Amino acid sequence: CLWNISKKPDIYDNAWLWPRIWQGNRDQIKDPDVIHPGQKLTIPQGKEMTSEEKTAAKRYYSRKAAAAAEAAPVQ
């Protein structure tokens, strides 16, 4: 997963930077929860996320929260 790739010491050494890889490979990764063995991913340089990467991450987490709220049982 992108989280595990990002946390590798020779990549970013920070799992929270996974959106950098997602955004740098949008041609291959439509859903950041789905990557496939054998994909050749580009690893963008730098240890800071751009504003575009931050925005993409916020949208991703918002969609995940909305989906979880819809799936939660009504009490």
Side-chain angles (χ1 to χ4, degrees):
C1 70
L2 298 177
W3 178 273
N4 286 336
I5 294 169
S6 294
K7 74 179 183 179
K8 290 180 180 285
D10 58 334
I11 303 295
Y12 298 131
D13 200 25
N14 181 345
W16 290 101
L17 293 177
W18 68 265
R20 298 211 74 213
I21 300 172
W22 173 33
Q23 292 301 293
N25 293 276
R26 291 295 297 210
D27 59 324
Q28 295 185 67
I29 304 172
K30 303 304 177 206
D31 179 348
D33 292 328
V34 180
I35 60 172
H36 303 282
Q39 279 183 296
K40 304 287 186 201
L41 303 175
T42 300
I43 306 298
Q45 296 297 309
K47 301 261 183 180
E48 297 289 328
M49 283 198 292
T50 66
S51 61
E52 293 159 349
E53 292 162 347
K54 290 176 185 176
T55 298
K58 287 177 187 175
R59 277 194 316 263
Y60 169 82
Y61 287 121
S62 291
R63 283 193 308 263
K64 294 295 264 187
E70 286 181 18
V74 177
Q75 297 187 14

